[in-house]
C-alpha cells in the first residue's frame, strides 16, 4: 500500500526517479529493509530519526515492520512532508511523525525541560539516525550526530563510494566524537555505521547549508 501511494504521488511531484514498480520493490522497499538486522536490538519505545526522508525512505518501510519503535521523518521540502502526512494517515501508522525542517535546525533544538526533568526536543534525543541519498558522509555526520544520544548509531545507506567518503570524513568524525563502527555489504548496497562516543561540541551543527557548502574537515582549494 505504501509503494502504491508513493508511485501514485510520484506522478504529480518528484519523489523518486524510480517509476517501475518491480524496480521500486528492490530499490526502495527491500533496500530499506536491509537496515532491519542492524536495528534488531532496539528496545520498544526507542526513537529513530530519518534525515532527508523525501518520499519516506528508508523510514516508512521500517516503521511498518517495527511498530513499537518511534520514527521521526524529516525533510526540508514542505510538499514532501505534505505527502508523508497523507501517507502516514492512509496507512494508519501510529508510530511515525513527519516534520518539515532542516536537520541543522533540529540539531540545535535543545527544547525545554519538562517538569519531570526530561528534555523535550531533538538534540541528543535519538537512538538511531538514518539517511539515504542525502549527501556525503562528512556532511551527513554533522547533520545526524548532534541528534543522537551518546552511544547512538548513524546508519547511512551508501553505494560504491562509501570507503572513499569515509576517508574524507575522518576529521569530521573526530570533531564530532564519533567512530566508524563498521560497514555492512548488503544485497542492494552498503550500510555505513557510525557510533557517537561523547556529547557533541556546541559548535555543531553549524548554520543552515554550511555542512553541505563546506563539509567539516574537508579542505577546499585556496582555503584553510
Ligand atoms: N531518503 C530519500 C530521499 C533522498 S533525496 C530516498 O532515499 O529516496 C534527499 C532529500 O533530503 C530531499 O528530499 C531534500 O529535501 C532533503 N534534504 C537535503 N538536505 C536536508 C537538510 N539539511 N535537512 C533536511 N532535509 C534535507
Amino acid at each position: 500500500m505504501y509503494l502504491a501511494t508513493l508511485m501514485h504521488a510520484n506522478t504529480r511531484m518528484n519523489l523518486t526517479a524510480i517509476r517501475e514498480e518491480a524496480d521500486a520493490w528492490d530499490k526502495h522497499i527491500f533496500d530499506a529493509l536491509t537496515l532491519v538486522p542492524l536495528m534488531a536490538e532496539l528496545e520498544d519505545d526507542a526513537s529513530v530519526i530519518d534525515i532527508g526522508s523525501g518520499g519516506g525512505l528508508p523510514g516508512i518501510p521500517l516503521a511498518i515492520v517495527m511498530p513499537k519503535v518511534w520514527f521521526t521523518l524529516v525533510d526540508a521540502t514542505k510538499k514532501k512532508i505534505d505527502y508523508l502526512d497523507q501517507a502516514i494517515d492512509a496507512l494508519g501508522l501510529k508510530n511515525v511523525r513527519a516534520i518539515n525542517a532542516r536537520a541543522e535546525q533540529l540539531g540545535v533544538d535543545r527544547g525545554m525541560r519538562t517538569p519531570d526533568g526530561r528534555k523535550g526536543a531533538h538534540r541528543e534525543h535519538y537512538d538511531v539516525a538514518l539517511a539515504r541519498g542525502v549527501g556525503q558522509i562528512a556532511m551527513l555526520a554533522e547533520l545526524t550526530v548532534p541528534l543522537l544520544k551518546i552511544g547512538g548509531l548513524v546508519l547511512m545507506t551508501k553505494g560504491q563510494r562509501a570507503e572513499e567518503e569515509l576517508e574524507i570524513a575522518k576529521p569530521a568524525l573526530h570533531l564530532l566524537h564519533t567512530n566508524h563502527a563498521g560497514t555492512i555489504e548488503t544485497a542492494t548496497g552498503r550500510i555505513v555505521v557510525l557510533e557517537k562516543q561523547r556529547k557533541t561540541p556546541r559548535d555543531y551543527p553549524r548554520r543552515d547549508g554550511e555542512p553541505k557548502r563546506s563539509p567539516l574537515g574537508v579542505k577546499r582549494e585556496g582555503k584553510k
Side-chain angles (χ1 to χ4, degrees), residues 18-65:
I18 298 165
R19 282 162 214 288
E20 293 295 318
E21 193 167 321
D23 215 17
W25 271 103
D26 277 350
K27 297 204 172 118
H28 290 332
I29 308 298
F30 187 57
D31 183 57
L33 297 180
T34 60
L35 291 157
V36 170
L38 288 156
M39 296 169 72
E41 278 165 34
L42 283 180
E43 315 229 332
D44 288 359
D45 282 329
S47 297
V48 175
I49 190 163
D50 181 10
I51 293 297
S53 191
L57 292 159
I60 296 244
L62 292 168
I64 292 171
V65 301

Side-chain angles (χ1 to χ4, degrees), residues 15 28 51-55 57-58 74-77 80 101-104 132-134 143:
L15 291 168
H28 290 332
I51 293 297
S53 191
L57 292 159
V74 176
D75 205 281
T77 306
K80 296 189 177 175
R102 293 194 62 96
E104 294 92 325
R132 185 185 92 153
V134 184
L143 295 185

Side-chain angles (χ1 to χ4, degrees), residues 70-124:
W70 297 101
F71 286 82
T72 299
L73 314 182
V74 176
D75 205 281
T77 306
K78 169 88 165 58
K79 68 180 168 65
K80 296 189 177 175
I81 296 300
D82 290 343
Y83 159 71
L84 286 173
D85 279 334
Q86 278 176 26
I88 291 163
D89 192 47
L91 295 165
L93 292 170
K94 304 292 182 221
N95 58 328
V96 190
R97 62 176 172 175
I99 301 181
N100 179 210
R102 293 194 62 96
E104 294 92 325
Q105 291 299 318
L106 299 185
V108 295
D109 180 10
R110 293 180 170 78
M112 308 279 276
R113 272 190 197 280
T114 58
D116 57 353
R118 285 182 299 118
K119 284 231 256 175
H122 300 280
R123 188 175 171 95
E124 317 252 346

Side-chain angles (χ1 to χ4, degrees), residues 10 112 158:
N10 206 38
M112 308 279 276
K158 285 278 156 197

